[in-house]
Amino acid sequence: MDRCLELALNGLGHVAPNPLVGAVVVCDDKIIGEGFHQQFGQAHAEVNAINNAKKFIEENKDAYALERSVLYVNLEPCSHHGKTPPCVDLIIQHKISKVVIGTIDPFAKVNGEGVMKLETAGIKVVQGIREEACKELNKRFFTFHLKKRPYIIIKYAQSKDGFIAAEERNTGSPYISNEYSLKVFHKWRSEEQAIMVGTNTAVTDNPSLTVRHWKGKNPIRVVTDRALKLDKNLSIFNQEAPTLVFNEIKNESSGHVDYIKIDFSKDAPQQMMNELYKKNIQSIIIEGGTKLLQSFIDKGLWDEARIFTGNKWLGDGVKAPVLEGKIISKETILDDELIVLKRI
């Protein structure tokens, strides 16, 4: 199962809104096939693992057989027709003797149905192996289906004295953290489906919110623009990625920009996450500034916080958000400190 988790992680940033899944086929205590879900819309992990096992069996002159093999998979095999046929049908077709599952799929069209079909076909099923690790791996997928919203990551960089930006932004480097931390930021962007900033950040910093310092897919950009006053020449509106604009005036699509009307006087953060859920967006990074970040924090509408503290003293400026959570990791990147928190 640990190998399944390792394999599954290779799909991060490529398979959403599908889950991360790895699969391993074992026969006579030997791994004869393994695979993972590589790209949304393409073959699932079980299909890749079984196909690799079939090749191995052919190359070894039938010394092994799927009929006496065990399939390990970190998430319950799908039982419905989606972009691809049901994986349970393939497992049953090849008469695999036993399936070991990390955790049940929370998706309503599966959610135990896969296990039931396998057992009805006479296949032994064992479930709940490394269950917490399997759920943690697919925290985005589970949050989306159980809480009906994206997995929300709060992210910011602060100075040693607790500011996220200097009073005067036009002097020196705009970055508090170092260049290696910046690459980490961009790697994170490639792993999540969306990234969000507020109106002031869009104007003051003019961010493009792309992965230009990392190889990967640009996330969907999300910005708040209540009165639709943002200049359309800002980088956030360029052609590099789709952009969603939350506002109080109109619902409209214009090329790669979608305008979504909400009521800013009634729990705007929750309304925005409801709209992203409708668009099948499973994860989002809230990147600033303090007003936007604090609005989500105050509502308890976040799952994880990633905070860099750079080796700079600003003395004055924009104060960092205030939040409390359980520290799950600490590390240093040169002279920066990275702390990751989980909401309690």
Side-chain angles (χ1 to χ4, degrees), residues 18-156:
N18 282 356
L20 298 166
V21 183
V24 175
V25 180
V26 176
C27 183
D28 300 339
D29 294 325
K30 182 179 180 64
I31 291 178
I32 63 170
E34 57 182 31
F36 64 96
H37 187 26
Q38 299 178 17
Q39 195 76 39
F40 176 70
Q42 295 183 9
H44 288 186
E46 299 94 324
V47 176
N48 291 328
I50 289 172
N51 286 340
N52 286 332
K54 288 165 68 176
K55 290 178 184 177
F56 183 88
I57 291 169
E58 290 173 6
E59 291 168 358
N60 287 271
K61 299 179 181 178
D62 298 328
Y64 301 90
L66 285 171
E67 289 85 350
R68 62 175 192 272
S69 295
V70 179
L71 173 71
Y72 295 80
V73 61
N74 60 285
L75 189 70
E76 178 184 11
C78 65
S79 54
H80 68 293
H81 283 270
K83 294 282 185 181
T84 61
C87 290
V88 292
D89 290 356
L90 186 70
I91 296 167
I92 293 168
Q93 175 192 330
H94 287 93
K95 300 178 182 178
I96 291 173
S97 64
K98 181 178 176 181
V99 177
V100 179
I101 297 169
T103 184
I104 296 298
D105 190 332
F107 182 39
K109 290 184 178 180
V110 185
N111 198 20
E113 184 74 18
V115 170
M116 185 182 72
K117 284 189 174 183
L118 291 171
E119 291 180 334
T120 300
I123 295 172
K124 184 177 180 181
V125 177
V126 176
Q127 53 183 296
I129 306 302
R130 298 281 277 120
E131 186 170 13
E132 289 308 311
C134 292
K135 287 181 177 179
E136 176 62 22
L137 175 76
N138 274 307
K139 56 193 176 184
R140 300 161 182 83
F141 186 74
F142 274 77
T143 297
F144 183 81
H145 287 288
L146 297 178
K147 296 186 178 181
K148 310 301 181 187
R149 64 163 174 80
Y151 185 84
I152 303 169
I153 300 168
I154 298 288
K155 173 261 158 183
Y156 59 90

